Amino acid sequence: MGFRFPGILHAKKNQVSSKSLDVPKGYLAIYVGEGQKKRFIIPVSYLNQPSFQDLLSLAEDEFGYDHPMGGITIPCSEDTFLGHTSALRYM
């Protein structure tokens, strides 16, 4: 049994084309994970939310402005990320 988060889109696993082309307008691709990174597509409106800004502060402390995946990388577990962002979909 899985949970659906309408505000978060999971990246397609079998897509080989340019990753920037599969991000809809108004969304942003980020990478989440402590070891293996998973790509999520989030609404840009999340960037204004204090709980998401806490996650961005973690990324800044860990990587500064040089993210190894080429996009914003959040250095937390996937469960922590989903916990933070699940409340944002109702805002």
Side-chain angles (χ1 to χ4, degrees):
M1 179 165 111
F3 297 97
R4 294 202 59 178
F5 296 99
I8 301 172
L9 304 173
H10 293 276
K12 292 180 173 49
K13 291 184 180 187
N14 296 343
Q15 194 162 7
V16 180
S17 67
S18 172
K19 293 191 182 250
S20 64
L21 296 178
D22 63 350
V23 179
K25 185 175 182 176
Y27 287 80
L28 173 71
I30 63 166
Y31 298 89
V32 176
E34 295 167 328
Q36 180 73 19
K37 306 289 189 260
K38 187 169 182 180
R39 186 171 186 247
F40 289 90
I41 311 297
I42 60 163
V44 294
S45 63
Y46 283 13
L47 298 174
N48 292 327
Q49 301 301 322
S51 63
F52 193 78
Q53 289 176 357
D54 291 342
L55 293 175
L56 291 175
S57 291
L58 284 174
E60 181 183 17
D61 292 344
E62 179 85 16
F63 303 111
Y65 293 107
D66 184 29
H67 292 268
M69 300 295 292
I72 295 175
T73 305
I74 307 289
C76 68
S77 70
E78 187 178 335
D79 292 335
T80 301
F81 172 74
L82 292 174
H84 276 274
T85 56
S86 64
L88 298 178
R89 65 185 171 135
Y90 298 112
M91 296 184 157

